[in-house]
Amino acid sequence: MTHATADDIRELDPDEITPADVDIEHVRAALTDEENLVRTHAAKIAGTLANQDPDVVVALVPTLLDRLAEDHSVVLKESLTALALVADERPAELADGVPALVDLLDHDLPLVRTFAARVVRPLAAEHPEWFATELDDLLATLDGEITDLVEELEEPPMGGLSTFEQYRAIGEEGRKRQLAARAVAANVVVAVAEADSDAVVEHVPELVDLLDGDDTLLVATSADAIANVAEDHPDAATAAVEPLCACLDGHDETARASAVAALGFVGDDEAVGPLREVANDEEADEDLRALAADTADWLDRDA
């Protein structure tokens, strides 16, 4: 097969092409075409090539990152698909895209949030320091509401299911996507705190605010981030003692354990009483009770 030109790139089948079939410069040109369909098709081709060999698509990364400002959601989704494949193998190539990717974690469309999260996850795992300057936006994402997509529908969806079932399915899928993207943002905040606690010190008030909620994931990750700050800067986290103590009841074992650990790092003996209550709670997990008892003993040593 001969190399495609920018004009006939749309004639290629993304499901069948190989790197040998395509001139990367023609794909780059198509990614900036005025027509949505051409840009979408080029992004799909980039995704196919990246799946076969991410190195082939490295030259397209700057152009794909430019596409993150797209208003056209399909082009955006396909571009993120290609970038996710590159991120898994060549994360260093995407450093310049971090601010835009973080913005997309709070995109109006839950589907876009999901695909952005797929790119962010491997980047944060390898280079959490890249996200230290994005903490304001990450924390805003954590503090944002999970929207009900069903309420935003202007007309009943079409299809074979009943209207009620369709509405419920659409709403639940959108909710899951929003929660998944928020979980990634939360894990990034913790990764930044582990890598550079200094960068998180000024954000302790926002983390403390997140402790006062029903979302156990946010409680656990906020407590984990506070623990990392308190390990190096215990005085910076003193305002978290009372909210952390409040988290010792009413959450799952993971969130409670994170709160116990954070209290240990803050080192305030005001937490001894609440920790003793957890240690003596016969209905609590045995490991949690032991952790709470050890932490209370440690805080009580000089009291």
Side-chain angles (χ1 to χ4, degrees):
M1 182 176 182
T2 59
H3 283 192
T5 66
D7 291 334
D8 64 13
I9 196 88
R10 72 179 83 186
E11 299 297 326
L12 297 174
D13 185 346
D15 295 329
E16 297 182 359
I17 61 169
T18 68
D21 298 329
V22 186
D23 188 320
I24 287 296
E25 290 306 314
H26 294 154
V27 179
R28 189 204 309 276
L31 283 169
T32 61
D33 195 273
E34 293 181 356
E35 292 188 31
N36 291 334
L37 289 176
V38 175
R39 297 200 308 281
T40 298
H41 203 71
K44 287 181 178 179
I45 289 172
T48 297
L49 297 177
N51 189 47
Q52 296 176 29
D53 184 358
D55 290 346
V56 172
V57 184
V58 166
L60 295 177
V61 166
T63 308
L64 288 167
L65 291 177
D66 287 343
R67 299 274 60 78
L68 299 186
E70 275 274 357
D71 291 329
H72 195 268
S73 61
V74 180
V75 179
L76 183 53
K77 180 184 82 70
E78 296 297 341
S79 298
L80 287 167
T81 298
L83 289 170
L85 293 164
V86 177
D88 286 334
E89 300 293 332
R90 300 281 295 272
E93 304 294 340
L94 275 64
D96 292 341
V98 166
L101 288 165
V102 170
D103 285 344
L104 292 177
L105 291 177
D106 197 28
H107 194 273
D108 290 341
L109 296 178
L111 181 65
V112 172
R113 298 188 195 188
T114 301
F115 280 84
R118 292 177 184 174
V119 187
V120 167
R121 188 183 295 111
L123 298 185
E126 291 291 329
H127 296 283
E129 70 278 5
W130 290 352
F131 295 83
T133 57
E134 308 304 318
L135 286 169
D136 284 334
D137 287 340
L138 286 166
L139 289 167
T141 296
L142 299 188
D143 196 34
E145 293 185 6
I146 300 300
T147 58
D148 186 345
L149 299 183
V150 173
E151 291 181 355
E152 298 177 4
L153 289 176
E154 296 180 358
E155 298 180 0
M158 303 298 291
L161 294 174
S162 71
T163 299
F164 173 76
E165 290 173 329
Q166 286 184 324
Y167 269 47
R168 183 174 60 183
I170 291 171
E172 183 60 24
E173 180 65 20
R175 179 176 176 275
K176 287 180 179 179
R177 290 186 182 280
Q178 292 175 78
L179 288 173
R182 188 160 74 176
V184 169
N187 289 331
V188 173
V189 171
V190 175
V192 173
E194 291 174 349
D196 183 8
S197 63
D198 291 354
V200 187
V201 168
E202 65 180 282
H203 297 283
V204 168
E206 295 103 302
L207 292 169
V208 170
D209 288 343
L210 291 172
L211 295 173
D212 184 22
D214 297 329
D215 189 325
T216 56
L217 169 67
L218 290 188
V219 170
T221 53
S222 298
D224 288 341
I226 291 170
N228 281 287
V229 173
E231 185 173 8
D232 297 326
H233 310 282
D235 292 342
T238 53
V241 173
E242 185 175 343
L244 285 168
C245 288
C247 293
L248 296 177
D249 186 27
H251 290 287
D252 65 16
E253 303 298 323
T254 300
R256 297 172 76 190
S258 294
V260 170
L263 287 166
F265 283 117
V266 176
D268 193 319
D269 60 19
E270 289 186 11
V272 170
L275 287 168
R276 295 284 187 213
E277 292 182 13
V278 176
N280 295 324
D281 182 1
E282 295 183 355
E283 296 183 0
D285 177 79
E286 183 176 345
D287 290 338
L288 175 63
R289 293 178 63 189
L291 177 63
D294 291 344
T295 304
D297 289 344
W298 188 82
L299 294 178
D300 203 25
R301 69 196 187 288
D302 296 322

